[in-house]
C-alpha cells in the first residue's frame, strides 16, 4: 500500500491499484468537463434549435453552475457517508442523462433540465476524485494530484471543444450528444467495476487524522468564517474565469469574430487554453508541493492572467496563429488555480478538509456561472439588432471581453490578502490534531 511519507517529499510508495482507482474516478471528471464545455462547440446550433438569445443561452448554460455550486455544500459529506463508488456511479448516470435530454426536443426547458442534470451529476466529480486521492495517496501529493486531475479535465475540455466541433460539423450536434451519452454510460460501468465501496485507511496512508467530524452546519461555519477561505475562492474563481467564459461557452465565436477564421479553426485556438492547463497544472502542483509556496504562485498567476487578458482586450484583431499562441499563454498563466485546493486545506482545520475543498470549488463554480451570464448580457447590450435576431460583431466581443481583466484585477487583490502557511506550521498542526484524536 502506501508507506509512511517523510517530511518534505514524495518518498512514499503508492500502490498501482491506487493509481488505477484514482484514474477511474478522474475519468468521470474528464467526462464532466467535456459536457461542461461542449455548448461552446455548438452555440449557434443550440441558439437556433431552442430559439434563444445570447443572454438566454448563457443563462440556460449557466444552470449547470447554479446547481453545481450549492451542491458543493453537501458533496463531501455525502461521499463520506455513502462511499465514493455509490455516489460517483449515481452522479455519473445523472450527468449522462443530460446529454440525452438535450436531443429529446426543442423546448428551452429541456435544455435547462439537461444542464441541471449535468451540473447536479458533475458536482461530485472533482470532490469525489480528490476524496479518492486523499485516501490512496500521501497528503504531500495533494496539489500534484489536484494538478493531474485538472489535466484530465482539460483533456475533456479539448475533446469538448475541438473534438466535438469536428463531429458537429460532420455528423451534427445531436449525433455528438448521442455519442457523449454512450461514453457516459461506459464510464459509469467502469466506476462500478473498479472503484471499491470504501477506500482502505491504513494509518500511514493519509495525513488527515481521525478526528471527530463536526456537523455539516459547524463545518460550513468553520470554513466560511475564515477570511482566507474567501480569498482563496475568489482568486481561484478569477483564474478559472477565462476557461468558464471563453472555453465553456463564448470562446469559439469570439475567436472566429476577431480572426475571421472558421468555427472549427476557432475551437482549435480555444483548445490551446486547455493545453496550457493540461501541461501546466501538474507542474504548478508539483512546484507548490515541493517548495510549499501557495500565496506567491497565486499572486504570480493572477498578475500573468491580468496581463494576458489585457492583451486580448486591447488587440482589435489577430491572425489565427496568433490566437493559438495567445490562448496557450492564457492557459499557462492561469493554471496555478490548482494550488487553491491545497491552500484551502492548509488554511482550515484537518477536521473540515473535505468541506474546505468543496467550499472552494463552490465559490469558483458559482462565480464562473455568474461570469457566463454577465458576458452574455454584455454581448446583447453591444450586439446589433437585425430582423433575424441579434448579431454579435467583433466590436461587441471587444467590449464584453473587458470583463476578464477587471475580474483578474479583483483576483490579484484577493491573492495579496492571502497568508502563507509554512510547511513546518502545516506539519505541526496536523500532528497536533492527530495527537488530540489519539487522546480522544
Amino acid at each position: 500500500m502506501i508507506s509512511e511519507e517523510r517530511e518534505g517529499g514524495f518518498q512514499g510508495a503508492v500502490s498501482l491499484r491506487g493509481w488505477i482507482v484514482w484514474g477511474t474516478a478522474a475519468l468521470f471528471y474528464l467526462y464532466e468537463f467535456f459536457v461542461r464545455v461542449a455548448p461552446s462547440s455548438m452555440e449557434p446550433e443550440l441558439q437556433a434549435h431552442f430559439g434563444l438569445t445570447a443572454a438566454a443561452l448563457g443563462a440556460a448554460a449557466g444552470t449547470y453552475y447554479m446547481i453545481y455550486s450549492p451542491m458543493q455544500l453537501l458533496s463531501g459529506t455525502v461521499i463520506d457517508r455513502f462511499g465514493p463508488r455509490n455516489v460517483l456511479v449515481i452522479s455519473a448516470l445523472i450527468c449522462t442523462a443530460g446529454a440525452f435530454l438535450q436531443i429529446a426536443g426543442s423546448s428551452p426547458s429541456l435544455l435547462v433540465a439537461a444542464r441541471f442534470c449535468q451540473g447536479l451529476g458533475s458536482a461530485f466529480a472533482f470532490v469525489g476524485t480528490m476524496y479518492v486521492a486523499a485516501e490512496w495517496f500521501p497528503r504531500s501529493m495533494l496539489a500534484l494530484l489536484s494538478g493531474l486531475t485538472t489535466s484530465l479535465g482539460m483533456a475533456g475540455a479539448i475533446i469538448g471543444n475541438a473534438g466535438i466541433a469536428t463531429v458537429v460539423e460532420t455528423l451534427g450536434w445531436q449525433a455528438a450528444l448521442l455519442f457523449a451519452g454512450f461514453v457516459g454510460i461506459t464510464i459509469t460501468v467502469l466506476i462500478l467495476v473498479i472503484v471499491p465501496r470504501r477506500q482502505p485507511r491504513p494509518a500511514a496512508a493519509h495525513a488527515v487524522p481521525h478526528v471527530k467530524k463536526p456537523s455539516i452546519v459547524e463545518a460550513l461555519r468553520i470554513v466560511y468564517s475564515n477570511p482566507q477561505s474567501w480569498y482563496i475562492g475568489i482568486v481561484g474563481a478569477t483564474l478559472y474565469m477565462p476557461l468558464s467564459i471563453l472555453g465553456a461557452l463564448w470562446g469559439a465565436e469570439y475567436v472566429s469574430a476577431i480572426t475571421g477564421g472558421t468555427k472549427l479553426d476557432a475551437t482549435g485556438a480555444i483548445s490551446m487554453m486547455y493545453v496550457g492547463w493540461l501541461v501546466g497544472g501538474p507542474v504548478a502542483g508539483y512546484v507548490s508541493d515541493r517548495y510549499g509556496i501557495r500565496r506567491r504562485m497565486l499572486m504570480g498567476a493572477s498578475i500573468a492572467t491580468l496581463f494576458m487578458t489585457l492583451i486580448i482586450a486591447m488587440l482589435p484583431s489577430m491572425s489565427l496563429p496568433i490566437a493559438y499562441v495567445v490562448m496557450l499563454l492564457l492557459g499557462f498563466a492561469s493554471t496555478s488555480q490548482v494550488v487553491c485546493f491545497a491552500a484551502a486545506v492548509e488554511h482550515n482545520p484537518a477536521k473540515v478538509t473535505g468541506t474546505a475543498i468543496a467550499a472552494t470549488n463552490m465559490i469558483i463554480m458559482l462565480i464562473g456561472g455568474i461570469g457566463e451570464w454577465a458576458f452574455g448580457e454584455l454581448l446583447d447590450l453591444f450586439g446589433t439588432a437585425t430582423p433575424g435576431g441579434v448579431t454579435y460583431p467583433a466590436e461587441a466581443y471587444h467590449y464584453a471581453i473587458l470583463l476578464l481583466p477587471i475580474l483578474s484585477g479583483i483576483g490579484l487583490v484577493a491573492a495579496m490578502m492571502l497568508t502563507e502557511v509554512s510547511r513546518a506550521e502545516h506539519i505541526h498542526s496536523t500532528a497536533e490534531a492527530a495527537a488530540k484524536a489519539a487522546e480522544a
Side-chain angles (χ1 to χ4, degrees):
M1 294 305 301
I2 307 174
S3 65
E4 187 163 3
E5 63 175 306
R6 293 192 289 275
E7 181 177 331
F10 297 98
Q11 297 90 334
V14 181
S15 70
L16 175 62
R17 189 186 178 200
W19 284 107
I20 293 173
V21 172
W22 166 81
T24 303
L27 273 179
F28 178 34
Y29 182 62
L30 181 154
Y31 179 73
E32 78 89 354
F33 223 111
F34 162 82
V35 300
R36 183 191 306 183
V37 306
S40 67
S41 298
M42 52 187 76
E43 180 264 328
E45 290 83 0
L46 291 176
Q47 270 193 272
H49 182 77
F50 293 103
L52 300 172
T53 64
L57 179 61
T63 303
Y64 177 102
Y65 298 100
M66 296 304 108
I67 184 61
Y68 183 109
S69 299
M71 283 304 298
Q72 298 307 301
L73 296 173
L74 302 175
S75 58
T77 303
V78 170
I79 292 173
D80 191 52
R81 180 179 178 86
F82 297 104
R85 188 182 74 169
N86 294 336
V87 175
L88 289 176
V89 165
I90 294 173
S91 57
L93 282 175
I94 295 173
C95 183
T96 300
F100 294 111
L101 274 175
Q102 287 184 73
I103 58 177
S106 59
S107 171
S109 61
L110 280 175
L111 178 60
V112 173
R115 294 297 286 176
F116 180 91
C117 286
Q118 290 172 337
L120 177 62
S122 297
F124 298 89
F126 183 80
V127 177
T129 302
M130 292 307 297
Y131 183 98
V132 169
E135 293 292 311
W136 286 85
F137 294 85
R139 190 170 182 177
S140 61
M141 295 178 68
L142 185 59
L144 173 63
L145 266 295
S146 175
L148 290 172
T149 301
T150 301
S151 287
L152 283 176
M154 297 306 103
I158 292 170
I159 298 170
N161 273 279
I164 284 296
T166 302
V167 178
V168 170
E169 196 168 85
T170 55
L171 300 178
W173 67 277
Q174 291 173 314
L177 289 174
L178 184 64
F179 172 76
F182 286 114
V183 171
I185 291 174
T186 301
I187 292 175
T188 302
V189 173
L190 288 175
I191 295 172
L192 184 64
V193 172
I194 295 174
V195 178
R197 289 181 181 274
R198 288 281 180 180
Q199 314 297 354
R201 291 176 176 265
H206 51 87
V208 181
H210 291 293
V211 296
K212 182 179 179 181
K213 298 291 184 181
S215 66
I216 295 177
V217 174
E218 177 62 14
L220 293 174
R221 186 197 65 78
I222 293 172
V223 173
Y224 283 113
S225 64
N226 181 358
Q228 293 293 310
S229 297
W230 287 100
Y231 300 147
I232 292 167
I234 291 171
V235 68
T238 56
L239 290 175
Y240 173 72
M241 197 61 69
L243 283 180
S244 177
I245 291 177
L246 296 180
L249 194 59
W250 304 110
E253 293 299 310
Y254 163 70
V255 172
S256 182
I258 66 171
T259 64
T262 66
K263 180 71 174 294
L264 188 58
D265 290 335
T267 56
I270 291 300
S271 292
M272 297 306 292
M273 254 199 314
Y274 297 107
V275 172
W277 275 61
L278 188 152
V279 176
V283 174
Y286 173 80
V287 172
S288 177
D289 281 337
R290 178 67 179 82
Y291 298 101
I293 50 172
R294 316 297 193 199
R295 177 177 181 269
R296 281 173 285 176
M297 289 196 69
L298 292 174
M299 284 183 61
S302 296
I303 292 171
T305 302
L306 174 60
F307 178 73
M308 289 307 305
T309 52
L310 279 173
I311 289 179
I312 292 172
M314 289 187 299
L315 288 175
S317 63
M318 65 179 80
S319 66
L320 194 61
I322 293 297
Y324 270 72
V325 173
V326 168
M327 292 303 162
L328 177 63
L329 292 177
L330 179 58
F332 277 126
S334 54
T335 190
S336 291
Q337 189 250 25
V338 301
V339 174
C340 289
F341 300 98
V345 169
E346 293 173 352
H347 279 86
N348 286 282
K351 62 183 178 181
V352 293
T353 292
T355 304
I357 295 173
T360 301
N361 211 29
M362 188 195 86
I363 296 172
I364 291 171
M365 293 299 105
L366 180 60
I367 297 178
I370 295 173
E372 284 192 5
W373 164 79
F375 196 89
E377 287 285 355
L378 289 172
L379 280 182
D380 282 340
L381 178 64
F382 296 107
T384 303
T386 65
V390 181
T391 60
Y392 310 104
E395 290 75 13
Y397 284 101
H398 280 304
Y399 286 119
I401 210 73
L402 288 171
L403 181 65
L404 288 179
I406 292 172
L407 292 173
S408 295
I410 294 173
L412 176 58
V413 173
M416 294 172 64
M417 300 293 288
L418 288 175
T419 58
E420 193 78 84
V421 177
S422 70
R423 188 185 301 276
E425 290 174 328
H426 182 48
I427 292 173
H428 174 73
S429 63
T430 301
E432 187 178 61
K436 290 180 179 179
E439 292 174 1

